[in-house]
Structure formats: C-alpha cells, structure tokens
Amino acid sequence: MSAARPVLVVLYKDDLPDCMPLIEAAAEVRYVRAAELATAIPGADALLLWDFFSSAVEDVWAHADSLRWIHVAAAGVDKLLFDGLRQSGVVVTNSRGIFDRPIAEFVLGGILAMAKDLPGSLRRQRDGVWEHRETDRIDNANALIVGTGSIGRETARLLRAVGMRIEGVGRTARTNDADFGTVHASADIESVVGEHDYVVLIAPLTDATRGLVDASVLAAMKPSARLINVGRGELVHEGALADALSQGVIAGAALDVFSTEPLPATSPLWRLENVLISAHLSGDAAGWLERLSALFADNFGRYTAGAELLNVVDKELGFVPGG
Amino acid sequence: MSAARPVLVVLYKDDLPDCMPLIEAAAEVRYVRAAELATAIPGADALLLWDFFSSAVEDVWAHADSLRWIHVAAAGVDKLLFDGLRQSGVVVTNSRGIFDRPIAEFVLGGILAMAKDLPGSLRRQRDGVWEHRETDRIDNANALIVGTGSIGRETARLLRAVGMRIEGVGRTARTNDADFGTVHASADIESVVGEHDYVVLIAPLTDATRGLVDASVLAAMKPSARLINVGRGELVHEGALADALSQGVIAGAALDVFSTEPLPATSPLWRLENVLISAHLSGDAAGWLERLSALFADNFGRYTAGAELLNVVDKELGFVPGG
C-alpha cells in the first residue's frame, strides 16, 4: 500500500454500490459514466466496472497510465478483455460466486417449466382453454452442463439434488469429478450431446467456447431435448438454433442470453412457442447488488492492504481458473 | 380365493389399462362406462374405477349385491366415498405412490416459476418486450406443506433437497417428523401460515380439510407469499382466494385443482396475472397410466390369492393412513 490515497474510478450507469461511503474513506473516488471515462482514467490506480456490460475500457486504454487493477461486477469478463489489457500487468478480478446459486435455481426452474409445459398452460389460460396433458418427469433425466466453473458446479449440485443425472463439458476430459462425475472435452460435445435430455450452457465466452453449439451439435441432440443458455449468447449459433427450434430438431429452449442484447425485435426467437425468453436476469436475484458491493469492498480492502485479491481472472483463459 | 372366477367390473371412459389381458385370464371382466354401471354391477366381486373422476358408484349402490372390493386409479377418493360405502364391508384401495414424485416436481416447478417470474417473462416475450427484473431466491425460503401423506412427504423431501425450509400441517401436531420436522395441527394453520413464503396444499379432501384455507387464513399469509394447490379445489374458499389474489393480500398462486373442473369460463381466476392455472395434471407424468395399471394388476393378484391388499383406504378418515 502506497502512502498516498489510491485513486479509484467507478464506471456506473444508474445507481452506485452501497459500499462507496466506506471506500471514500480510503480512496479518492471518481464516479463516471462511459463517455467520461477517458478524462477520469489518467492517474487512476483502480477501476470498478459497476456498469458491467460496458466495453468502454478498450477505447480509453491509451489514457490508463497508472492503472493496476480492474474489478468487474459480473462473472463474465468477455466484454472487457482485449489484447492490450491481456498483455499488460493490470490485474482483473470478477464477481465469481455471487451468481452461482441464483443461476442454478434459474436453470432448474427452466428445466421444470419445460418438463411440466408451463408455457403451454399459460397459453391455454390466456385463451380460457382447459386441456389435460401428460407432463415429463425429471428424475433420472440426463443433463449435460457445458461449463465447469463455479456456476456450472452449483448447477450440477442442484440438479443432482433433485435426482437428475449429470455430466459436464469442460476444457479437458476427466472422470471422478466431485460435482460432475464425468467431464467431456468441449471438442467432443457433438458425440456426447445425443445422450442428454437437457443441455445447459454456462461456460465463459472465450475463443474456445464461441460458437460451440452449432448446427451439427444441435442436429446431434435428441429431438426431445431442450437447451438452456444462461452463459452467453455467442456460445450458440443463434440462427442455427432458431432453425432447429422451428423445425423440431430439438424440442425447446430457455434462453436468458443472446448475441445481441436486448434481443432485436427482428429475431425469430421471440415468436417461437417452444422458446422461453428472459432478459439476462438469471443471476440477478434479490440481494445481488448488495452482494456485488460487499465483494468489491472486500477486494478493495485487500488491495489497499497489499493482500492477495479474490477472484483473479486468468486473462489468457478468460475466467478465474480452478474448482 | 373362491373356485369360481371373480367378476370384475371396469369403469372406464376412453382407453383401458394395459394389464387387462392378464386380468382376463383370471377373471370375468365387464367393461362399462358410467351409464352402464347399474346393469353391470350385480354379481360383481370387484370394481376398478379406471375412470377415476366418476362419482357413479353411489348411484348404483343398491345394485352392488356381491361387491367386496373397489380399486381407484387415483390418490384422492373424495369423489367416491359416501355413507353407504363407508358403512359396508367393501374394501377400498387407491393408487397411493404413483403420483408422489410427479406432483413433488410440479410443486417445485410452480415455486420456481413464481420465484423467477416466468409468467412475467412469457408475457413480455409475447409483447416483444425486453425488461430486466430482479428475481427471488428459493434457498432458505419457507414452505408450509398442508398434507402429510405420501405426496406431501415426497414434496417435503424434494423442497428440502433444494435448500428450502419445510414445515407440515397435518391432523395432529408433532415434532421430529422424519420428512417435515415440525408438523402443525390443521386447527392451528392460521397462526403459523404467516411465517411462510410458499403454502402448498396437498391434503386429501375430507370433512376436516374442506375449506381449510379461508379468507382469514389468506389474510394471515405474508403479502409476498404464494399458494400452490395440487390437492383438491375445495381445500380453499375459491372466491376468497380470487379476492386475495386480485387485492394483493397474497402475491400469487399456482392452481392445478378447482372446486369445479374444468374451471368455468366465468371464474375470475382465469384472468388474474398472478395466477398460474393448469388442468388437474400435476401427477400425470409420462408413464402414469402404465404405473396405475401395474399397481392394479399387483393388487388384483393379491385379491385373487386372498393376500393383503395394497393401499387400503380408511373409509372414515378418507385416505390411506400411515407414513
């Protein structure tokens, strides 16, 4: 810790984190929106991306003359990372952990909604139609979870707790994983996806995962299978997905993330009856902003104390490695 | 077992159970619909209510001159029971067990749908509206399960498995119940219901449970609480429930059963945005008819062998007691 008060830039859009009074006692804080970032960043030691969807950092990179640390109030850092940052000594930390349980619950909710045809019941309710149907059971249903980070692991544990059979897809194949049992290598996804009733995408977006689910992978799924995407829209070829859903190649999808957000009005996904669309909210359960704020405050205390930071992102991999 | 082949009447509506070829090898079988029951019942030893919503038995009771056993392809026997049957020596068995897991899954699906505002996402999807909202978490949420039979127990176990805090409501108060921990007496429901985020109705319909959830009980619930009814419509005062839901006394409901089914077009429940209506299908998951058929075949084998029957209903209580 330097004797001088560190300079922190907080990039925000609407509200500020709860913890700021505490932080202001220990730092000079500059609150800015994206357009003002270029003038605020010179001389700054640390940057909090509270407006976590912003990709403004790359634009002002030339002005970041003393930056040492960027903390992101999100799990995914794909919008932030660029070559200049990767090659620099600037440490990037994220908000790993905060979204694990809410997203796991959201995935289970999506699976149950499709298994029990809740959208079909709501459609009939709107039309005043009483129609009995059979539903699906989820006990012993197979789910493939693509992404073995902390959110994928929490999801695996929750789906196992309700009696589903789980396998994972990760960078490298392995067996006897504590949460997944078997983990398949992402390169092999096409050959394993046909065994599963539900395919859950929760991987970070990296060069290795971009477009992982393409037309061939979709074609290899069971016609009765459903896709859940709570990771990033670009994990899937969105056009191929819309085709697969409209042609019955797969049975349904619950999509919380999209290549372009908000999802454009022209997207055919809006109008497919077997698609459940939500507005990138799966991790944002009551208390999330308070938790994000508390995690930043914890990390800021570590920063000023010169201690080890939590959730340091491997900038080459594009996520926090391990467990 | 008598030397003569027993006479079995099968009351059905559309399809017959799979097991009938097997049964026909051992019995004289008369297949009838409700209107023909009066002419078929004389001389019958056993009656299978495959059309399990029929209440035709009471009408033909005077003709049931040699009936010894009625098996119902359902869990609830409220539509069947009447004083003449209760006072007779005729044994009633039901299909306890078949619906446990599907209904437990349906309850969890309903809870998650409401926690994650899935109906709100579907409404926005229909209108092409992208709108971020915060959702609720269900870990550590409190659920009160009214009904401690086999379906209630399976539901308790499933909700506990996903981290919810469970209590039960049953005939008699007790503690240290294996599935519920604390069970409150139904007479005390009004004083305990205010502690809970979700109230799940899964009790059999009896004189003790009819109208259990009335305007006072609804008023004692949290304004943020939701009601799930997968038991019988008559467990709730339906008019008071519609009022509570439209006036914000409680936050929402997932209703699979109603006082009159199909739910009449005039019911205000159809049009409430915070209500999720389904067509009495929560227990009817793929394979249910095969399982109902197999259970009857098992019990029929026991009947012809003179062995103890499975799932004998206590006709005074109105359900299969124990466990």
Side-chain angles (χ1 to χ4, degrees):
Chain A
M1 182 178 176
S2 65
R5 283 157 55 94
V7 176
L8 170 70
V9 172
V10 176
L11 181 70
Y12 75 108
K13 203 165 66 175
D14 304 313
D15 298 322
L16 291 171
D18 287 349
C19 66
M20 290 321 300
L22 188 73
I23 305 293
E24 286 181 19
E28 177 195 330
V29 184
R30 304 171 182 169
Y31 298 103
V32 298
R33 293 193 173 81
E36 305 140 4
L37 188 59
T39 53
I41 203 82
D45 302 292
L47 170 62
L48 166 61
L49 291 181
W50 188 247
D51 177 10
F52 43 82
F53 287 136
S54 174
S55 53
V57 179
E58 186 171 7
D59 298 338
V60 306
W61 191 238
H63 306 285
D65 51 12
S66 55
L67 196 63
R68 295 169 54 197
W69 172 42
I70 302 176
H71 181 84
V72 187
V77 292
D78 49 284
K79 289 272 194 301
L80 167 65
L81 291 179
F82 54 93
D83 284 343
L85 172 55
R86 279 193 198 94
Q87 291 149 17
S88 75
V90 174
V91 173
V92 174
T93 57
N94 75 358
S95 298
R96 174 189 169 105
I98 306 290
F99 303 95
D100 297 0
R101 172 73 196 195
I103 293 184
E105 290 183 359
F106 194 91
V107 168
L108 178 57
I111 288 172
L112 280 166
M114 293 190 279
K116 306 305 177 187
D117 191 24
L118 215 97
S121 288
L122 284 163
R123 263 197 306 279
R124 286 170 180 82
Q125 179 174 347
R126 202 173 70 230
D127 299 336
V129 172
W130 177 275
E131 185 185 358
H132 180 271
R133 292 102 62 209
E134 280 188 4
T135 65
D136 291 345
R137 297 170 67 134
I138 65 161
D139 52 337
N140 297 317
N142 293 309
L144 186 68
I145 299 178
V146 180
T148 57
S150 65
I151 306 175
R153 289 184 180 278
E154 182 74 15
T155 303
R157 289 189 291 265
L158 188 63
L159 300 191
R160 279 199 162 169
V162 300
M164 297 182 75
R165 297 167 199 246
I166 304 300
E167 291 187 334
V169 168
R171 271 176 303 153
T172 50
R174 59 206 117 121
T175 52
N176 300 319
D177 181 279
D179 297 313
F180 292 98
T182 299
V183 175
H184 303 279
S186 22
D188 298 329
I189 187 171
E190 190 175 329
S191 65
V192 299
V193 79
E195 304 294 317
H196 293 272
D197 303 300
Y198 298 91
V199 176
V200 180
L201 306 182
I202 188 59
L205 181 64
T206 67
D207 288 345
T209 61
R210 190 179 306 272
L212 183 66
V213 176
D214 58 12
S216 305
V217 172
L218 292 164
M221 288 173 66
K222 292 186 195 181
S224 59
R226 281 108 172 200
L227 184 79
I228 292 107
N229 192 356
V230 287
R232 283 291 184 263
E234 298 93 327
L235 298 172
V236 189
H237 282 267
E238 214 165 79
L241 177 60
D243 288 346
L245 287 161
S246 62
Q247 293 160 16
V249 173
I250 65 172
L255 306 173
D256 188 54
V257 290
F258 304 88
S259 297
T260 305
E261 296 177 2
L263 182 63
T266 51
S267 170
L269 292 170
W270 281 115
R271 286 170 292 278
L272 292 176
E273 274 205 351
N274 54 352
V275 175
L276 227 159
I277 289 175
S278 51
H280 202 144
L281 51 73
S282 72
D284 305 345
W288 68 299
L289 292 171
E290 293 78 0
R291 288 188 182 90
L292 287 171
S293 172
L295 174 61
F296 171 69
D298 185 349
N299 242 358
F300 188 81
R302 290 163 182 265
Y303 176 79
T304 56
E308 195 176 356
L309 294 176
L310 299 171
N311 298 344
V312 175
V313 171
D314 180 317
K315 293 184 286 183
E316 289 305 321
L317 290 174
F319 51 87
V320 180
Chain B
M1 180 180 176
S2 67
R5 283 155 58 91
V7 176
L8 169 69
V9 172
V10 176
L11 181 71
Y12 76 108
K13 203 164 68 175
D14 303 312
D15 298 321
L16 292 172
D18 288 348
C19 66
M20 291 320 300
L22 188 75
I23 305 294
E24 286 181 17
E28 178 194 329
V29 184
R30 302 171 184 170
Y31 298 103
V32 299
R33 293 193 173 81
E36 306 140 3
L37 188 60
T39 54
I41 203 80
D45 301 291
L47 170 62
L48 166 60
L49 290 181
W50 188 247
D51 177 10
F52 44 81
F53 286 136
S54 173
S55 54
V57 179
E58 185 171 8
D59 299 337
V60 306
W61 190 239
H63 305 285
D65 52 11
S66 54
L67 196 65
R68 295 170 54 198
W69 173 42
I70 301 176
H71 181 85
V72 186
V77 293
D78 49 285
K79 289 272 194 302
L80 167 65
L81 291 178
F82 52 93
D83 284 343
L85 171 55
R86 278 192 199 92
Q87 290 148 18
S88 76
V90 174
V91 174
V92 174
T93 57
N94 75 359
S95 299
R96 175 188 168 107
I98 305 291
F99 302 96
D100 296 359
R101 173 74 196 193
I103 293 183
E105 290 184 0
F106 194 91
V107 168
L108 178 57
I111 288 171
L112 280 166
M114 292 189 281
K116 306 305 175 185
D117 192 23
L118 214 97
S121 288
L122 284 164
R123 262 196 308 278
R124 286 169 180 82
Q125 180 174 345
R126 204 173 66 229
D127 298 336
V129 172
W130 178 274
E131 186 186 356
H132 181 270
R133 292 101 63 207
E134 280 187 5
T135 65
D136 291 345
R137 297 171 66 135
I138 65 162
D139 52 336
N140 297 318
N142 294 309
L144 186 67
I145 300 178
V146 181
T148 58
S150 64
I151 305 175
R153 287 182 182 279
E154 181 73 16
T155 302
R157 289 188 291 265
L158 188 63
L159 299 190
R160 279 197 162 172
V162 300
M164 297 182 75
R165 297 167 198 247
I166 304 301
E167 292 187 332
V169 168
R171 270 176 303 153
T172 50
R174 59 206 117 117
T175 53
N176 300 319
D177 181 280
D179 297 313
F180 292 98
T182 299
V183 175
H184 303 279
S186 21
D188 298 328
I189 187 169
E190 190 174 329
S191 65
V192 298
V193 80
E195 304 294 317
H196 292 273
D197 304 298
Y198 298 92
V199 177
V200 181
L201 307 182
I202 187 60
L205 181 64
T206 66
D207 287 346
T209 61
R210 189 179 307 272
L212 183 65
V213 176
D214 59 13
S216 306
V217 172
L218 292 164
M221 287 172 67
K222 292 186 196 182
S224 59
R226 282 108 173 199
L227 183 80
I228 293 108
N229 192 356
V230 287
R232 285 289 184 263
E234 296 94 327
L235 298 171
V236 188
H237 282 267
E238 215 165 80
L241 176 60
D243 288 347
L245 286 161
S246 62
Q247 293 161 16
V249 174
I250 66 172
L255 307 173
D256 188 54
V257 291
F258 302 89
S259 298
T260 304
E261 296 178 4
L263 182 64
T266 51
S267 170
L269 293 171
W270 281 115
R271 287 171 291 279
L272 292 176
E273 274 204 351
N274 54 353
V275 175
L276 228 159
I277 288 175
S278 50
H280 202 145
L281 51 74
S282 73
D284 305 345
W288 67 300
L289 291 172
E290 292 79 0
R291 289 189 181 88
L292 287 172
S293 172
L295 174 61
F296 171 69
D298 185 348
N299 241 358
F300 189 81
R302 291 162 182 265
Y303 176 78
T304 56
E308 197 175 354
L309 293 176
L310 299 170
N311 297 346
V312 175
V313 171
D314 180 319
K315 294 183 288 182
E316 289 305 322
L317 290 174
F319 52 87
V320 180

